[in-house]
Amino acid sequence: MTMMNASPNKIVILTGAGVSAESGLGTFRDKGGVWTKYDLNDVATPEGFARDPVKVHDFYNSRRANALGSEPNAAHFALARLQAEYAGDVVLITQNVDALHEAAGANAIHMHGRLDRACCAACGEDWDAPLAMTATDPCPSCGVPQTRPDIVWFGEVPQSLDAIAAHLETAELFAAIGTSGQVYPAAGFVAEASRCGARTVEINLEPSDVANLFDEHIGGPATESVPAWVSSLLDRLVV
Ligand code: OAD
């Protein structure tokens, strides 16, 4: 553990499925993960949706129900506490489509969309998703029955990338928590933040695919490692 001379003015944090794992939401690539049970080409691509919209809606309806039945854990609450109490800026970017950061009281940029939002493939309107969506739900704005989950699928451009790029440029500390580093552009954020001068830390159960790019590593389950890391930052210490 080392004492920093000055606390970072701006902390940018990227979260992934590992943060929600202990809330009972499965990760994607761990043993028993979502992509070991479903073919992502079927349920997480525009082509899969065009082939079989009922199958895709069933998949996200079931994930939405699971997410609604889950509670934020100690890692979500610790990150919300950091946002509320830290003297500098704390920007939270998540790849997660659940709303557990918000349920814990944090503000997060959802770069891969949100399960609790629907959008219209015809006109782009978006709205609160009902618990169960169907392929024939009409858009409340244009009436066209091309409703889809407001989820970024493989082959699509993640949301808020310009804002994220600006945050990475000005980050003094970048942390990636609970993400395997296998999906870009998020997996490239550590390199970008590092290039712009940020110190970088990976907080994960096991080293990610891009672990070698981080200055520091913290292991262990997020419900233990994240509250400890947040406390160290609020005490002006960085591990
Ligand atoms: P992954 O499932 O790829 O990786 C989850 C990471 O969390 C792994 O590195 C685990 O070691 C770690 N992990 C698991 N349990 C943990 C715990 N209790 N505490 C700390 N770490 C833990 O999930 P993501 O990296 O989030 O995109 O996946 C990125 C994107 O791929 C997702 O947003 C999703 C997926 O396909 C879309 O669907 C568009």
Side-chain angles (χ1 to χ4, degrees), residues 11-19 22 75 79 82 173-180 200-208 211 214 216-230 232-233 238-239:
I11 304 172
V12 175
I13 300 166
L14 171 71
T15 65
V19 165
E22 291 164 86
L79 293 173
L82 185 65
L173 174 63
F174 172 80
I177 307 176
T179 178
S180 62
T200 57
V201 56
E202 175 169 272
I203 304 174
N204 213 44
L205 206 50
E206 57 198 29
S208 75
F214 287 86
E216 301 284 344
H217 298 92
I218 300 172
T223 54
E224 294 171 16
S225 55
V226 177
W229 177 70
V230 165
S232 73
L233 280 167
V238 169
V239 284

Side-chain angles (χ1 to χ4, degrees), residues 15-19 21-22 27-30 35 40 44 60 63 95-96 112 151-154 178-183 203-206 208 220-223:
T15 65
V19 165
E22 291 164 86
T27 61
F28 293 94
R29 297 173 180 82
D30 294 306
W35 297 149
L40 68 82
Y60 287 102
R63 294 196 65 208
Q95 298 165 90
N96 297 344
H112 289 167
I151 301 286
V152 176
W153 288 325
F154 288 91
T179 178
S180 62
Q182 293 192 35
V183 175
I203 304 174
N204 213 44
L205 206 50
E206 57 198 29
S208 75
T223 54

Side-chain angles (χ1 to χ4, degrees), residues 105 162 221:
D162 288 348

Side-chain angles (χ1 to χ4, degrees), residues 29 32 71 80 97 102 106 116 121 123 131 151 179 192 218 229 239:
R29 297 173 180 82
E71 300 284 343
V97 295
E102 288 77 8
D116 59 5
C123 75
L131 187 54
I151 301 286
T179 178
E192 185 56 15
I218 300 172
W229 177 70
V239 284

Side-chain angles (χ1 to χ4, degrees), residues 137-197:
D137 288 342
C139 168
S141 176
C142 73
V144 172
Q146 285 187 24
T147 293
R148 56 167 279 182
D150 189 12
I151 301 286
V152 176
W153 288 325
F154 288 91
E156 297 182 323
V157 179
Q159 298 175 5
S160 308
L161 286 184
D162 288 348
I164 290 170
H167 288 309
L168 293 173
E169 261 180 41
T170 48
E172 293 184 6
L173 174 63
F174 172 80
I177 307 176
T179 178
S180 62
Q182 293 192 35
V183 175
Y184 286 81
F189 291 174
V190 57
E192 185 56 15
S194 202
R195 191 184 66 77
C196 295

